[in-house]
């Protein structure tokens, strides 16, 4: 696989002027929409040196994200989706990962920035919400103080002002009685409230991009929907772009404009959300879709799990990484690793599969 | 909280009575020199010894002796009288306490001031040469017995016998109020020797605790906020990593206040440890009993204090 090839094919992802950005966030509504995407990831590679050898957590992924748009990155645990998200903010650096490729944010390559420059981006232009709000908040500091700290890291503001702003933010994310809760410790809040507080912290400096890594996985099912609704609402109000990393296609179904499906460190399919659900072309995506339970389907209908388990990142299988689990794999699929290529007639729908497009479409029609 | 503290104090008192009983029994049962014989001097006749036994109350049953001791302690704060000198144990202890306090507190400040920063730097530069070198030196100091180290520094730096005569040597101790300068200079070597081993232990503790803390999710959050790395490490990392270390610190200080026997002996500092050591060599039971009790008090108080402090250091801790 030669990296430059699939960079060329990424144009399809660009957001046109037709995507409206909410007026509240753009001071000049007459400003011409940027032709350049907000975030452009090119051939991102992240590997860790372990005792058993190098682990390629992310192996050459590329994607683009326009202002105010939502990208869902979907994959099983171990697919590299979280590492891919953390790398945008350079948060894998501290863990000694080797990061290659290019992450352009508003035309600047984030990977080329030094720590000091990167700090001005972190929590300011790009903010992050993590999976487990309990472990992600410092247990020994009050929630308000942690948000005040985030504000003051980027804005020259008195403590009193930052505190007032923090109360506003807590109110914005729907925490009742924010003037009182601002002094609560993380352990004194419910899981949902903690995640709301994390979101408030992420919004503290009006980021242009919010990366949410499995933001609802650690929460109760009833709270999950509330948090997603909150994220979606805030995004629309503020015209933020959102990268939503999840293992659950259901989570991104309503929210994402585009979806990228990751498998074993690679993107195997990426397309506008409607297309992923209506006409997916990768057998792995089919597997993910068929393992989502539906309420309106017949009760006797069994969910179809994907056989086998994800490959070891230490020794991914040769050829197409999904071939050992793919019911349609041919012997030659063990030799060539497919490139992510546009599918005929759909320039913004890209699939990394060795099956012929016609064959894939036929198979999906049979399955669906 | 108040109820919790009161309960802890009551338990502490009970524990002290148990400790006293145990020392009482142990030192009477174990084969040790007969205190009356030691007191009577050389070639004393059996009659003199027998009289002394009556004087010291050693002829009474053990339980009666213990009862009398406890009654004196609780009613008058009386710890009895030395078998050898006849001095009040309480006044002996109070005379010796300032030296031990000086030694312990000074040394504790030094070992924290040296050990913690080294631990932090080692944690941040994990597996580099700096880390390996400092942990190697730490291991050396942990392994070196303090009395040996004490003798070495006396040999090297003491004003009387040293190769390079820099610091006052053994037996130079003077009280803080009597002669502050002499107090300070005479304690420099003992402070450093006592602190060396502890600094090494605390450097390793801090390193381990900080490495673990830096792997926590909330550290990643602090970085994601865009905080400078210094703030991430100190305000978020060290703040969380230091709490477990403070528990150990309180206990170590408590133990040392009960007497740093080896250091006080090597440097001839008239502290509790030295008092205890002399008492043991003379089978001076009331002093042994008193110093053991004192050590137990310090350890129990340190325990209660650190538990109370914990409620402030970690908001998740609540006592009820």
């Amino acid at each position: 696989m030669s990296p430059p090839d699939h960079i060329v094919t990424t144009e399809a992802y660009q957001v046109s002027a037709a995507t409206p950005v909410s007026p509240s966030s753009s001071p000049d509504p007459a400003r011409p929409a940027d032709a350049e995407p907000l975030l452009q990831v090119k051939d991102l590679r992240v590997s860790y040196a372990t005792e058993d050898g190098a682990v390629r957590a992310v192996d050459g992924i590329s994607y683009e994200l326009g202002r105010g748009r939502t990208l869902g990155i979907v994959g099983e645990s171990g697919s590299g989706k979280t590492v891919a998200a953390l790398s945008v903010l350079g948060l894998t650096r501290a863990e000694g990962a080797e990061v290659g490729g290019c992450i352009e944010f508003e035309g600047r390559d984030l990977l080329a920035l030094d720590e000091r420059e990167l700090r001005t981006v972190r929590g300011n232009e790009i903010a992050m919400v993590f999976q487990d709000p309990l472990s992600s908040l410092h247990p020994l500091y009050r929630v308000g103080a942690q948000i005040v700290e985030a504000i003051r890291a980027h804005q020259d503001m008195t403590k009193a002002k930052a505190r007032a702003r923090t109360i506003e933010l807590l109110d914005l994310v729907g925490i009742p009685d924010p003037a009182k809760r601002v002094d609560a410790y993380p352990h004194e809040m419910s899981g949902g409230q903690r995640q709301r507080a994390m979101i408030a912290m992420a919004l503290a400096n009006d980021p242009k991009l919010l990366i949410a890594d499995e933001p609802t996985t650690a929460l109760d099912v009833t709270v999950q929907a509330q948090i997603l609704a909150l994220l979606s609402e805030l995004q629309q109000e503020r015209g933020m772009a959102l990268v939503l990393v999840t293992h659950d296609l259901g989570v991104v179904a309503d929210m994402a404009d585009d979806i990228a499906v990751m498998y074993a460190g690679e993107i195997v399919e990426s397309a506008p959300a409607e297309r992923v659900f209506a006409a997916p072309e990768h057998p792995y995506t089919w597997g993910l879709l068929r393992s989502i339970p539906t309420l309106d389907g017949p009760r006797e209908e069994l969910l179809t799990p994907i056989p086998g388990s994800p490959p070891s990142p230490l020794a991914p299988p040769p050829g197409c990484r999904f071939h050992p689990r793919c019911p349609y794999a041919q012997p030659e699929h063990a030799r060539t690793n497919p490139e992510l290529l546009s599918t005929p007639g759909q320039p913004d729908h890209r699939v990394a599969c060795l099956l012929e497009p016609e064959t894939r479409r036929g198979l999906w029609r049979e399955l669906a | 909280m108040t109820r919790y503290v009161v309960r802890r104090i009551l338990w502490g008192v009970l524990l002290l009575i148990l400790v006293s009983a145990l020392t009482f029994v142990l030192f009477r049962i174990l084969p040790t020199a007969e205190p009356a014989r030691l007191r009577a001097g050389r070639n004393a006749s059996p009659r003199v010894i027998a009289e002394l036994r009556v004087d010291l109350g050693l002829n009474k049953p053990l339980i009666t002796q213990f009862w009398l001791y406890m009654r004196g302690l609780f009613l008058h704060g009386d710890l009895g009288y030395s078998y050898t000198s006849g001095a009040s144990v309480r006044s002996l202890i109070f005379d010796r306490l300032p030296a031990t306090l000086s030694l312990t507190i000074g040394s504790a400040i030094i070992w924290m001031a040296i050990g913690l920063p080294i631990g932090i730097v080692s944690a941040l530069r994990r597996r580099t040469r700096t880390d390996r070198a400092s942990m190697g030196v730490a291991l050396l100091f942990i392994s070196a017995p303090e009395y040996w180290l004490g003798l070495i520094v006396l040999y090297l730096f003491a004003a009387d016998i040293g190769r390079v005569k820099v610091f006052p040597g053994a037996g130079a101790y003077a009280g803080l109020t009597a002669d502050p300068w002499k107090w300070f200079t005479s304690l420099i070597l003992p402070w450093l020797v006592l602190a060396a081993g502890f600094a090494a232990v605390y450097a390793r503790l801090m390193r381990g605790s900080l490495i673990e803390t830096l792997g926590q999710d909330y550290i990643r959050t602090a970085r994601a906020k865009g905080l400078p790395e210094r703030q991430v490490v100190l305000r978020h990392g060290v703040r969380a990593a230091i709490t477990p270390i403070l528990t150990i610190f309180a206990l170590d200080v408590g133990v040392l206040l009960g007497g740093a026997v080896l250091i006080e002996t090597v440097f001839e500092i008239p502290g509790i440890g030295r008092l205890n050591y002399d008492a043991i060599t003379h089978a001076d039971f009331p002093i042994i009993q008193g110093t053991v009790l004192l050590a137990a008090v310090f350890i129990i108080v340190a325990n209660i204090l650190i538990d109370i402090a914990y409620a402030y250091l970690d908001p998740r801790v609540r006592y009820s």
Side-chain angles (χ1 to χ4, degrees), chain B:
Chain B
M1 181 81 177
T2 321
R3 280 185 58 179
Y4 171 81
V5 173
V6 170
R7 209 172 62 217
R8 285 294 303 270
I9 291 174
L10 289 178
W11 274 108
V13 171
L14 189 71
L15 199 59
L16 286 175
I17 295 174
L18 278 172
V19 168
S20 307
L22 208 64
T23 9
F24 221 86
V25 172
L26 270 176
F27 279 88
R28 301 297 161 101
I29 289 175
L30 289 178
T32 174
E34 161 73 83
R37 191 183 297 278
L38 285 169
R39 179 76 193 274
R42 270 181 208 184
N43 304 322
S45 68
R47 206 172 59 86
V48 173
I49 291 173
E51 272 169 18
L52 267 172
R53 282 182 63 83
V54 176
D55 279 358
L56 297 175
L58 293 169
N59 58 331
K60 297 195 181 84
L62 198 58
I63 187 82
T64 318
Q65 288 182 41
F66 185 63
W67 166 249
L68 288 172
Y69 181 75
M70 280 289 129
R71 205 181 58 176
L73 179 63
F74 276 97
L75 292 183
H76 317 289
D78 179 9
L79 287 168
Y81 296 88
S82 162
Y83 284 166
T84 42
S85 68
S88 141
V89 172
R90 195 175 60 172
S91 61
L92 278 175
I93 284 178
F94 277 111
D95 283 350
R96 300 299 191 95
L97 204 50
T100 295
L101 273 172
S102 307
L103 178 65
T104 305
I105 292 171
S107 170
I109 292 170
I110 295 173
W111 91 59
M112 290 299 257
I114 295 175
L116 298 186
I118 290 179
I120 292 170
V121 169
S122 267
L124 296 179
R125 308 216 174 138
R126 200 174 352 159
R127 287 191 218 116
T128 62
R129 261 185 232 167
T130 321
D131 178 26
R132 294 218 166 98
S134 41
M135 286 306 110
V137 173
L139 196 63
L140 205 72
F141 279 114
I142 291 172
S143 322
E146 55 191 31
Y147 57 86
W148 175 80
L149 208 59
L151 293 174
I152 297 283
V153 299
L154 279 178
Y155 172 74
L156 291 175
F157 304 115
D160 42 8
I161 58 162
R163 299 281 103 183
V164 195
K165 303 185 191 316
V166 208
F167 299 111
Y173 179 81
L176 172 62
T177 43
D179 185 346
W181 178 247
K182 203 175 170 203
W183 170 85
F184 180 75
T185 50
S186 69
L187 279 171
I188 291 177
L189 287 184
W191 276 338
L192 289 175
V193 171
L194 187 57
F198 280 106
V201 172
Y202 279 73
R204 291 181 75 94
L205 284 175
M206 188 70 218
R207 177 184 182 272
S209 183
L210 187 57
I211 286 175
E212 198 195 313
T213 305
L214 289 178
Q216 297 290 322
D217 285 351
Y218 53 77
I219 297 295
R220 188 177 61 190
T221 307
R223 288 205 180 99
K225 277 197 247 186
L227 297 180
E229 190 62 18
R230 193 187 159 78
Q231 213 167 317
V232 172
V233 170
L234 293 178
R235 202 141 83 192
H236 290 254
V238 173
R239 172 64 180 80
I242 210 163
T243 12
I245 292 177
L246 291 178
T247 314
I248 306 167
F249 178 70
L251 288 181
D252 278 338
V253 169
V255 169
L256 284 179
L257 285 176
V261 179
L262 294 173
I263 293 290
E264 288 177 15
T265 307
V266 169
F267 289 94
E268 288 175 41
I269 297 167
I272 301 288
R274 188 65 208 261
L275 181 67
N276 200 5
Y277 170 79
D278 291 340
I280 290 170
T281 51
H282 294 111
D284 200 336
F285 180 71
I287 296 182
I288 297 171
Q289 179 80 40
T291 49
V292 168
L293 204 60
L294 181 78
V297 167
F298 279 129
I299 291 167
I300 288 166
V301 168
N303 257 313
I304 296 176
L305 282 182
I306 195 63
D307 278 352
I308 295 171
Y310 237 86
Y312 293 94
L313 292 169
D314 189 337
R316 288 167 298 181
V317 175
R318 286 280 171 272
Y319 302 117
S320 50

Side-chain angles (χ1 to χ4, degrees), chain A residues 177-189:
Chain A
D177 203 0
K180 225 172 149 185
R181 298 306 277 165
V182 70
D183 288 323
Y185 284 101
H187 71 273
E188 295 167 340
M189 290 183 150

Side-chain angles (χ1 to χ4, degrees), chain A residues 38-315:
Chain A
L38 181 69
L39 178 73
Q40 216 171 349
V41 172
K42 293 174 192 166
D43 194 30
L44 177 68
R45 292 163 189 278
V46 186
S47 59
Y48 294 91
T50 68
E51 284 176 8
D52 304 313
V55 168
R56 285 191 193 171
V58 175
D59 202 0
I61 66 166
S62 303
Y63 62 85
E64 291 184 12
L65 180 64
R67 290 173 194 279
R69 302 275 289 179
T70 301
L71 170 70
I73 299 183
V74 182
E76 287 167 287
S77 34
S79 61
K81 57 191 193 303
T82 295
V83 175
L86 290 174
S87 298
V88 174
L89 278 182
L91 292 174
T92 47
R93 285 189 195 176
E95 294 156 28
E98 213 167 292
V99 186
C102 171
I103 299 175
E104 264 180 35
F105 179 76
E106 296 194 306
R108 268 187 304 173
D109 183 3
L110 298 182
L111 293 181
L113 300 186
D114 62 29
E115 275 293 315
R116 181 184 292 268
E117 293 166 320
L118 198 54
R119 234 171 41 221
T120 64
V121 176
R122 286 178 180 160
N124 192 22
E125 288 168 275
I126 306 177
M128 226 175 146
V129 172
F130 298 99
Q131 177 169 344
D132 180 359
L134 182 59
S135 63
S136 297
L137 286 163
H138 200 295
L140 307 182
Y141 292 115
R142 293 173 202 276
V143 167
Q146 300 188 46
I147 300 175
V148 166
E149 196 181 32
I151 297 174
R152 281 162 52 93
H154 300 285
Q155 297 178 48
D156 194 12
M157 204 186 265
T158 62
K159 274 194 180 161
K161 265 195 176 160
R163 185 183 156 88
R165 171 92 181 110
T166 299
I167 294 172
E168 277 174 35
L169 284 164
L170 291 176
D171 190 39
L172 182 75
V173 296
I175 288 181
D177 203 0
K180 225 172 149 185
R181 298 306 277 165
V182 70
D183 288 323
Y185 284 101
H187 71 273
E188 295 167 340
M189 290 183 150
S190 67
Q193 285 204 348
R194 282 193 283 262
Q195 195 59 299
R196 285 174 193 269
M198 280 298 288
I199 293 171
M201 187 191 290
L203 296 178
N205 297 298
D206 268 313
K208 294 171 187 153
L209 169 62
L210 180 66
I211 301 173
D213 180 17
E214 303 256 15
T216 57
T217 308
L219 304 176
D220 287 345
V221 185
T222 47
V223 183
Q224 290 186 357
Q226 293 172 14
I227 294 291
L228 290 175
L230 174 69
L231 278 174
S232 173
E233 187 191 311
L234 290 167
Q235 182 196 14
Q236 263 152 34
E237 270 171 25
R238 304 176 154 236
M240 276 185 312
L242 179 64
V243 172
L244 193 58
V245 177
T246 177
H247 66 278
D248 186 351
L249 264 176
V251 165
V252 291
D254 298 328
M255 289 182 70
D257 299 306
D258 302 297
I259 290 174
V261 178
M262 279 189 77
Y263 184 79
E266 299 175 330
I267 292 179
V268 292
E269 177 159 20
S270 70
E274 321 82 70
R275 255 201 92 78
V276 169
F277 288 97
E281 293 204 15
H282 197 285
Y284 178 63
T285 314
W286 300 343
L288 288 180
L289 284 168
R290 279 155 52 85
S291 50
I292 301 176
T294 49
L295 282 177
D296 45 2
R299 283 183 71 172
E300 296 75 30
E301 190 185 64
L302 290 172
L303 294 173
T304 319
I306 303 171
S309 49
S312 154
L314 278 166

